Amino acid sequence: MAENKKADHPENSPEYKGLMVNAGIDQPESVNQDSVKRFLNKKRAVLAPEVYINGILAGDITLLSKAVTLVESSKKEHQQVAQEVIKACLPHSGNSIRIGITGVPGVGKSTFIEAMGRYITSKGGKLAVLAIDPSSECSKGSILGDKTRMEELSGDKNAYIRPSPSAGSLGGVARKTRETIILCEAAGFDHIFIETVGVGQSETAVHSMTDFFLLLMLAGAGDELQGIKRGIMEMADLIAINKADGNNVEKADIAKAQYKNALHLFPLKESEWIPQVLTCSAYHKVGIEAIWDQIESYRQQTRNNDHFFRKRNAQAIYWMHETIEEQLKRSFYDRPEIKEKLKIMENYVMHDTMSSFVAAGELLDLYARLR
Ligand code: GDP
């Protein structure tokens, strides 16, 4: 069978004279094994802090990305370099508008970010899109993780998209995102979007690191005011009802009126800003400019009344406390001696041989002695 096939092959026909098989060539002397190895090692090696710092300040996206990877890493040697880089970038940060975007899955967040992002870059702005998704460890990144999303924006040289850091508690993920904001701003990104899913605790974290909070909603049939927590609505500086297109336009207008009424019930914000409700179609890129105008007015108004800066200062203090709490907790729970004693104490508490408070006290005493 195999022989037949060989005979059938046109190249083996005696009439076929066009083809000549040359003798093989020798391999070139060096295939650069050493330099390949050096390159691979280099890729993994942590560079000197100055390399990241200079790169970021020059707007080098590759080095920015590498520095963000260090920020996200839990390795001690990575964190040390990361903290040095953040420190050097801090004086060059802050010159941006930070916008939190939330809404239930499917509301159109990534479609909206793509539309608004393209609008911003078309006006000469530079946009970094970050995310906070503490669930992504289990769901393998439900937001921003999917590479097919935001295709246009990913190809835009004035946009930088970074998925949510995947590991750790909400506090840990949020701290990393906040540090990433600093690096992005130092790299020249003057617009920062932080996406989060509107279903849990993460909105509070996003709210505490952004200047403006945008809530995307859908017009439902009769359930306009449900599905999203009152607290999240209260945080919003603007509600945009998305998918206001086709035969959904009328429903969206009705929802708009209802949300407007609902917002009236909330007390006046400290910023003195009165949140509006608008409709848009992220898919058809309709209503995007009107939303941007609102964000611009907000920036103007809150800069004039100083709220913009007061809020940022308050956020910086809040994050200092958050970081202390997070690092204290980590340094406590990471101690092998604590881990060991914790198991024993848990057993005591479970069997009522010791109260929770006494057990906690003993563990804290041990921690104090270890330091
Ligand atoms: P996310 O989960 O909130 O990020 O939502 P996506 O941006 O992935 O959008 C979910 C679905 O809604 C996708 O199929 C989008 O194409 C669609 N979608 C998003 N925005 C609009 C819109 O303005 N109008 C319509 N008709 N569909 C939209």
Side-chain angles (χ1 to χ4, degrees), residues 98-140:
R98 304 166 183 166
I99 300 163
I101 297 174
T102 195
V104 292
V107 70
K109 290 182 294 301
S110 34
T111 313
F112 178 85
I113 291 172
E114 171 127 305
M116 179 62 92
R118 292 290 279 174
Y119 177 71
I120 287 170
T121 59
S122 76
K123 281 166 36 116
K126 286 188 79 184
L127 169 71
V129 183
L130 314 175
I132 289 193
D133 180 10
S135 66
S136 62
E137 200 175 7
C138 342
S139 62
K140 293 278 167 268

Side-chain angles (χ1 to χ4, degrees), residues 247-266:
N247 54 17
N248 210 20
V249 173
E250 205 181 319
K251 266 200 255 167
D253 283 335
I254 296 169
K256 177 176 157 174
Q258 288 178 324
Y259 283 121
K260 251 189 163 154
N261 281 336
L263 286 183
H264 279 314
L265 303 174
F266 294 132

Side-chain angles (χ1 to χ4, degrees), residues 132-151:
I132 289 193
D133 180 10
S135 66
S136 62
E137 200 175 7
C138 342
S139 62
K140 293 278 167 268
S142 57
I143 58 175
L144 288 179
D146 183 349
K147 286 195 178 60
T148 59
R149 302 171 89 208
M150 304 186 207
E151 256 169 30

Side-chain angles (χ1 to χ4, degrees), residues 100-110 113 131-135 142-144 149 170 194-207 213-218 225-236 259:
I101 297 174
T102 195
V104 292
V107 70
K109 290 182 294 301
S110 34
I113 291 172
I132 289 193
D133 180 10
S135 66
S142 57
I143 58 175
L144 288 179
R149 302 171 89 208
L170 172 59
I194 303 180
E195 179 189 358
T196 194
V197 274
V199 288
Q201 283 271 300
S202 43
E203 295 75 22
T204 319
V206 172
H207 187 246
F213 199 64
L214 170 62
L215 173 59
L216 288 180
M217 298 205 82
L218 292 174
L225 296 178
Q226 287 161 37
I228 204 99
K229 289 190 194 82
R230 190 192 138 96
I232 297 175
M233 257 179 76
E234 204 165 352
M235 279 184 223
Y259 283 121

Side-chain angles (χ1 to χ4, degrees), residues 253-296:
D253 283 335
I254 296 169
K256 177 176 157 174
Q258 288 178 324
Y259 283 121
K260 251 189 163 154
N261 281 336
L263 286 183
H264 279 314
L265 303 174
F266 294 132
L268 184 69
K269 284 170 175 275
E270 213 188 303
S271 56
E272 293 169 18
W273 172 256
I274 297 168
Q276 298 295 310
V277 185
L278 296 177
T279 58
C280 69
S281 168
Y283 189 80
H284 295 286
K285 298 187 166 59
V286 175
I288 303 299
E289 193 171 349
I291 293 176
W292 180 251
D293 289 346
Q294 282 285 307
I295 297 174
E296 266 301 333

